[in-house]
Amino acid sequence: MRIIYFFSLLLCSYCSFAQNINKQLSISSGYAVDTNSTWRQEDLPTSLLAAFNPQNTVNIGYNKNAAVWCRFILKNNNPLQPIKTWLCFNNNHIDSLTLYDAGLTKTIGDRTANRSPFIETLAFELNLQPGQEKIIWVRVKKLTSYLDFNYSLENQGELEARSSQKISLTSFFLGVVFLLLMINGILFFMTKNRSYLYYIAYSILTACYVAITTNFAKHILFPEFRFFSEGRVYVGAIWYIALSFFLDHFLKLKENQPIKHKIVLVFNCINFSLVVISMFLLVFYPDVEFRYFFILGYIIFLASIVLLFISALSHVKIEKTQGIYALFAFLPQLVWGACLILKTFEIIPFALGSNWMLFISMYEVFWFGYVLSRNYIDIFLKNNELMQEIIFEKESSLKTISEVQLRERRNIANVIHDRVGSKIAYIMHLFDMEHANLAKQSMGELAEEIRDISHKILPKALDDGALVASLQSQLKTLNAGLTDTRIELFCYDFPEKINEPWVYDLYLISLEIINNAIKHGQSGLITLEFYLYSKHYHFQFVDDGIGFDMQRISKGFGLENIEKRINYYGGDFEINSVKNEGTIIQINIPA
């Protein structure tokens, strides 16, 4: 800015640029910088005016309470027809733009209650009679901020067409954003997933920032509001903080890249602190130098953009799909933000305009809205498939349970019919033959057989928690009936009685494992080892049978059912088997 002041003061003669905008209108223009905003129109030093060409940008850099005076000399070269044109200043965020046309004064801008007739630009209507020449002064004023602008003469029809397109595009964008907000709000209440909440906050701030930056808020919504210049800066800062939090959660940086997660938090805290402090100073100490707040804020903004882009790039290696989604969404943001900051510091000559920001924001919001909705649909479909599998498995389980119950009932019925039924018939025959003593003896034997059958089905001792005693009694009977297989039970610090709800299940599980080892494993020796540790019970079942290849043969229903019953009690089930080398089953249940 000082360099521009210096060159302006060196110009001792009036410099101007004259160009035929068309065959009927010619214009020459110049500008001068009023550092302290103390000049009046009648005291303007025309000798200090610098050249000001149409479409060339005047950039005075960081500005604090300065004003720029622009002089335009216009001439209607047509001696017969009047000319109507619009003098346009292509920066919608100038605080105030005051036109002095003879005795007429007009003011528009962010800091005024007046708005431009067109959303596309700040424009003044100019009318020149045939052959008329007039001198117009325009005072450009912007408080503490960076200031650049250019001017052009535009046709009303073209301005109206561009403004209508911009209003339509911005309205469409805001409408779709709020539709996406409604959808993601419903998804948040359904899933309680914080990703949707972060997306909602980020999208609302995006809509606000777009509305302010495109001049939609000033032109359509709140034309008399006078603080859009500050609102654009602060909403933009908070908008990017919300975007950082959303991407941090979306990429799961806390779990996958904890160092970058902490750096993102630090950047966001610094940015938020800058916003709060600068707002406080702006209200209570407006004369404070804000240059360094802007510089630090822009540097952190650029660093944060680069960091998030690198994080998304790294996330591709961790979770490819989500990482690619983030990269596709964030790359345009990186380009636009980098261009904006580099242009602000005059490192590059131009930046992408507000229309680009509108397209980029629209693309980004739509893309993330699509990704989140698709993620929900994928989860919903997977859950639906899982529910179908669970239903099918339940149906299979019920069918198997019914088959097992039917088989057990058939076995019990056969035992009762073959042993109890025939015994009762024999006792009745003894009574008919009046052999009371012999009948009494047979009734005693029958009672003993019924107790034996009952004990085999489920020992009474299990009611008292005597798991080991119940199994030993059953194993004694099994060993007596086996010729090629021996079953052994060893206990290590294992209690005689257990007050645990899983005693009955473990008794039946042990018998089922033994039955599998005998029937399918063709085992010669089956060893049961029961341990008690400080925090859990450990059960190990080892057989020397034929085993099986675990890579080719999956668990059958019986083993899966055992695993589910163990998991129900918070335990672990593990099976290891090698073909021709036997099988080891280990069960751990919390004490």
Side-chain angles (χ1 to χ4, degrees):
M1 187 173 98
R2 293 179 179 177
I3 295 175
I4 293 175
Y5 288 178
F6 176 74
F7 279 109
S8 298
L9 293 174
L10 286 179
L11 294 174
C12 299
S13 61
Y14 169 71
C15 298
S16 65
F17 176 82
Q19 180 185 21
N20 286 331
I21 301 302
N22 51 49
K23 295 181 179 180
Q24 296 182 341
L25 180 66
S26 62
I27 181 173
S28 62
S29 54
Y31 79 95
V33 178
D34 179 7
T35 308
N36 299 313
S37 296
T38 56
W39 296 349
R40 294 179 300 174
Q41 183 183 359
E42 57 270 19
D43 300 328
L44 289 175
T46 57
S47 60
L48 296 181
L49 292 176
F52 188 18
N53 304 330
Q55 303 296 345
N56 289 345
T57 299
V58 173
N59 187 350
I60 66 171
Y62 178 80
N63 149 69
K64 183 173 177 61
N65 201 34
V68 181
W69 286 86
C70 305
R71 187 176 76 166
F72 302 93
I73 301 177
L74 300 100
K75 183 177 181 181
N76 181 0
N77 297 319
N78 190 324
L80 301 176
Q81 294 181 349
I83 291 179
K84 176 182 177 180
T85 188
W86 290 85
L87 178 62
C88 302
F89 287 80
N90 301 313
N91 182 343
N92 275 320
H93 303 289
I94 295 172
D95 287 345
S96 65
L97 202 62
T98 305
L99 173 76
Y100 299 93
D101 183 4
L104 178 66
T105 302
K106 296 180 181 179
T107 302
I108 55 177
D110 271 356
R111 282 282 193 175
T112 71
N114 303 317
R115 62 182 176 88
S116 171
F118 309 102
I119 190 175
E120 181 69 19
T121 183
L122 296 177
F124 294 106
E125 182 181 359
L126 300 179
N127 292 286
L128 285 85
Q129 298 302 318
Q132 182 184 6
E133 180 180 274
K134 64 167 58 176
I135 298 175
I136 295 172
W137 288 90
V138 177
R139 183 176 183 265
V140 181
K141 175 68 176 177
K142 190 170 180 65
L143 296 177
T144 306
S145 183
Y146 288 87
L147 175 60
D148 62 353
F149 63 91
N150 56 41
Y151 84 90
S152 61
L153 296 177
E154 302 282 351
N155 177 273
Q156 181 172 339
E158 293 179 357
L159 287 175
E160 288 176 345
R162 296 207 306 268
S163 294
S164 297
Q165 291 175 357
K166 193 168 188 177
I167 292 173
S168 300
L169 183 62
T170 307
S171 300
F172 172 76
F173 168 72
L174 295 177
V176 175
V177 166
F178 284 107
L179 177 62
L180 291 172
L181 289 178
M182 182 179 68
I183 295 172
N184 283 275
I186 295 172
L187 294 179
F188 170 71
F189 285 112
M190 291 174 61
T191 63
K192 304 301 179 184
N193 187 336
R194 285 190 297 169
S195 295
Y196 298 109
L197 193 62
Y198 289 137
Y199 173 80
I200 290 170
Y202 151 66
S203 298
I204 290 174
L205 289 168
T206 300
C208 293
Y209 187 65
V210 167
I212 294 174
T213 303
T214 58
N215 205 32
F216 188 86
K218 176 73 174 178
H219 189 81
I220 303 295
L221 303 177
F222 310 104
E224 296 184 359
F225 187 72
R226 301 189 179 189
F227 299 97
F228 280 121
S229 293
E230 291 78 8
R232 176 170 172 258
V233 174
Y234 295 132
V235 170
I238 298 173
W239 162 62
Y240 198 78
I241 291 173
L243 174 60
S244 300
F245 274 117
F246 170 71
L247 281 173
D248 181 275
H249 187 75
F250 183 80
L251 297 174
K252 301 176 183 176
L253 294 186
K254 187 175 182 180
E255 296 84 7
N256 300 322
Q257 304 178 62
I259 296 177
K260 292 175 184 174
H261 165 73
K262 292 179 181 178
I263 297 175
V264 169
L265 289 181
V266 170
F267 282 165
N268 286 338
C269 289
I270 295 174
N271 268 331
F272 188 75
S273 300
L274 289 174
V275 170
V276 173
I277 294 171
S278 61
M279 288 180 67
F280 174 81
L281 294 176
L282 188 66
V283 174
F284 296 102
Y285 302 97
D287 294 330
V288 171
E289 182 70 56
F290 287 93
R291 180 196 304 266
Y292 303 106
F293 286 92
F294 284 110
I295 293 175
L296 182 58
Y298 278 130
I299 291 174
I300 293 175
F301 175 61
L302 182 59
S304 181
I305 289 177
V306 174
L307 176 64
L308 287 171
F309 183 76
I310 294 173
S311 300
L313 199 60
S314 302
H315 194 77
V316 174
K317 301 177 182 178
I318 302 170
E319 197 174 1
K320 185 176 180 180
T321 303
Q322 297 293 87
I324 292 175
Y325 283 158
L327 283 176
F328 271 103
F330 201 59
L331 183 59
Q333 184 74 250
L334 173 67
V335 174
W336 175 76
C339 289
L340 173 66
I341 295 169
L342 295 176
K343 170 63 173 63
T344 300
F345 291 117
E346 300 182 15
I347 298 174
I348 60 176
F350 64 89
L352 300 176
S354 60
N355 285 341
W356 278 100
M357 189 278 299
L358 176 63
F359 289 123
I360 289 169
S361 299
M362 181 187 300
Y363 161 78
E364 195 172 66
V365 170
F366 290 176
W367 181 255
F368 278 125
Y370 161 76
V371 170
L372 290 177
S373 301
R374 178 172 178 175
N375 287 347
Y376 174 78
I377 292 172
D378 289 343
I379 293 172
F380 176 79
L381 293 176
K382 288 180 181 178
N383 289 339
N384 189 45
E385 291 177 2
L386 181 60
M387 287 299 297
Q388 293 296 330
E389 290 178 3
I390 291 173
I391 292 171
F392 176 76
E393 188 173 340
K394 284 184 177 181
E395 291 175 350
S396 300
S397 300
L398 290 173
K399 181 179 179 181
T400 305
I401 290 170
S402 298
E403 291 174 355
V404 172
Q405 288 177 342
L406 181 61
R407 185 176 65 249
E408 292 300 323
R409 288 175 181 176
R410 186 178 291 113
N411 291 336
I412 294 172
N414 290 336
V415 170
I416 293 174
H417 178 271
D418 295 341
R419 298 175 62 180
V420 178
S422 60
K423 201 75 172 180
I424 292 174
Y426 175 67
I427 292 171
M428 291 176 65
H429 178 69
L430 289 176
F431 276 117
D432 291 340
M433 298 294 294
E434 297 183 355
H435 296 305
N437 291 332
L438 190 56
K440 183 178 180 181
Q441 181 183 347
S442 297
M443 288 180 67
E445 293 174 357
L446 177 60
E448 186 65 29
E449 287 187 13
I450 291 174
R451 280 195 299 271
D452 182 57
I453 293 171
S454 175
H455 182 74
K456 287 181 179 179
I457 295 173
L458 201 64
K460 181 67 176 176
L462 284 177
D463 293 339
D464 299 325
L467 174 62
V468 175
S470 300
L471 279 173
Q472 286 174 339
S473 175
Q474 188 65 23
L475 295 182
K476 183 178 179 181
T477 304
L478 288 173
N479 280 322
L482 296 171
T483 57
D484 300 326
T485 304
R486 187 173 77 260
I487 307 170
E488 295 179 351
L489 172 61
F490 301 96
C491 297
Y492 303 91
D493 297 327
F494 201 86
E496 293 182 0
K497 293 184 179 182
I498 304 172
N499 184 23
E500 297 284 359
W502 42 260
V503 170
Y504 299 95
D505 268 326
L506 200 71
Y507 173 80
L508 298 173
I509 286 170
S510 300
L511 294 182
E512 188 170 351
I513 292 174
I514 292 169
N515 181 62
N516 286 340
I518 296 171
K519 183 177 179 182
H520 303 292
Q522 303 175 18
S523 306
L525 176 63
I526 303 171
T527 304
L528 284 65
E529 297 178 351
F530 291 0
Y531 300 82
L532 172 61
Y533 295 102
S534 58
K535 294 184 178 180
H536 71 280
Y537 295 92
H538 179 75
F539 306 89
Q540 183 168 282
F541 304 84
V542 182
D543 70 68
D544 60 355
I546 61 174
F548 61 93
D549 188 348
M550 297 185 63
Q551 301 296 327
R552 296 184 178 181
I553 302 175
S554 60
K555 300 174 186 176
F557 175 79
L559 291 178
E560 286 189 354
N561 190 41
I562 290 173
E563 185 174 8
K564 290 177 182 177
R565 285 148 71 187
I566 296 300
N567 291 338
Y568 174 78
Y569 296 110
D572 299 320
F573 176 86
E574 182 179 350
I575 180 170
N576 292 287
S577 183
V578 179
K579 194 172 182 179
N580 299 321
E581 294 185 16
T583 302
I584 299 175
I585 294 176
Q586 299 185 73
I587 295 173
N588 292 303
I589 301 179

